[in-house]
Every structure is written in C-alpha cells, then in structure tokens.
Amino acid sequence: MLEAEVEDAENLAMAHWPIPVDLFVSKKHPSLPRGLLAFADSSGNILFRLNSPSHHPKKTLRLLDSAGDPLISIYRHHDGSWQGFKGDDGQKDLLFQVQRVSNKFARTELEVFLVAENHQGELTCDFKVKGCHFQRSCTIYKGDSIVAQTSLMHKLRQIYVSRRKFQLTMFPSFVDPALIVALVVIFLVNGPKKSKILDKLPVSI
C-alpha cells in the first residue's frame, strides 16, 4: 500500500495533468492519528499530510508527502503574513510569500508571491486565494485562470453539511500540486477568529 501511495504522489507531482484531480481533505483519516490533516485520493490513499502541531513550534507547519518526507515548511509571522520554504532545512530556500489582503468572517483574500518570479525589482502577485473560511470554500487564481477550488461535499436530501471533510479540485495546469495544497493549508489556518469558534458547526443548506 505504501509503495502505491508513493507512486500516486510521484505521478501527481508531475508538472502537468490533463484532467481535473480531486483530493479529499479531512482530519479523520483512518491511517493517521486523529487531528492530523490529510489530503487523500478517491481510493483513500494519502498524497499529502500536515505535521502534528504538538511536535513543532506553533507558528511552523510542515507539509509532508505520502512517505512522511517534508515538502514545504510554512512559517507564520506576527503581521499575518506567511513564508514557505523548500523541505525541512529551516529558513534557507524560500519558495513563496503570502500576504493577507482581507480577513473577514465571510471573506478571506490572500496574495501569493513566488520568489523565483520576483527575484528582481518590485514584487508581483502570482496567485490570489479568495474564499470563505467558514464554508471551507476557496478559489486559487493565477491571473484570470482558476487553478484550484475547495468545496464542501453536498449530498442529495442532506439538510446539514459537515465541514470536517471537504474536496479540493485541482484543474489542469503546470502549477506544483504541493504549492496548491500549501496555499489551501494557509487559507484554512488563516481564518478569522469568529469563524474558528464556529468551526465545529455544520452548514445548513
């Protein structure tokens, strides 16, 4: 099973995929300790997961692959901004920076700056993340193109929808899926305090 998961992650990590890819996000994956955020495929194989906060500083998160190897270390700063570094080698190889533009109950907006694209002169926004934290809904844009979206998993005749598991759809592009997942993680953690208090409540439809 582990070999299959690693192979799936390697296939997903290719620079381009021809069709939309769905991942399912939850803190209740049966193969992980309860509370660890996992991104799994439709067969339940984990492709990405987040480290346990109890093992690392509160303002540091690590995105791991299916084998548990670190892909991106994510650091949160006091001003609400974020930085993502390659692997787990400390704050050495900076990949991206994230600035919070808006953080209201019904609207969160982030701007993402890739270091590789901004090595000279003034910073230019490469991605935007817009959505509602309470609804577990966000859209990642690259220019006018939609790179990825998250959404709750609605079912027919279901009055209340749980927010403890939701779907991430990544559309065909050349964007590294690990970067997309890291931005979703930042969006989730970056929710306003009022929304976090209500996090355990379902959504009425």
Side-chain angles (χ1 to χ4, degrees), residues 120-131:
Q120 293 181 346
E122 187 175 334
L123 289 178
T124 302
C125 178
D126 296 287
F127 297 92
K128 289 189 177 182
V129 185
K130 301 178 181 180

Side-chain angles (χ1 to χ4, degrees), residues 9-45:
E10 290 175 348
N11 291 337
L12 185 60
M14 295 174 64
H16 177 74
W17 54 93
I19 60 175
V21 174
D22 289 329
L23 297 183
F24 301 91
V25 190
S26 173
K27 290 185 177 181
K28 291 185 176 182
H29 196 280
S31 65
L32 291 178
R34 186 181 180 89
L36 293 186
L37 190 66
F39 294 75
D41 63 17
S42 58
S43 298
N45 299 318

Side-chain angles (χ1 to χ4, degrees), residues 31-83:
S31 65
L32 291 178
R34 186 181 180 89
L36 293 186
L37 190 66
F39 294 75
D41 63 17
S42 58
S43 298
N45 299 318
I46 296 175
L47 302 184
F48 303 98
R49 60 188 176 93
L50 207 59
N51 69 288
S52 172
S54 62
H55 295 163
H56 300 277
K58 195 171 184 180
K59 296 179 181 178
T60 304
L61 301 171
R62 290 197 309 166
L63 180 64
L64 313 176
D65 63 15
S66 58
D69 296 322
L71 298 173
I72 299 176
S73 296
I74 306 169
Y75 293 83
R76 183 177 188 174
H77 298 283
H78 294 290
D79 61 358
S81 65
W82 298 77
Q83 289 182 313

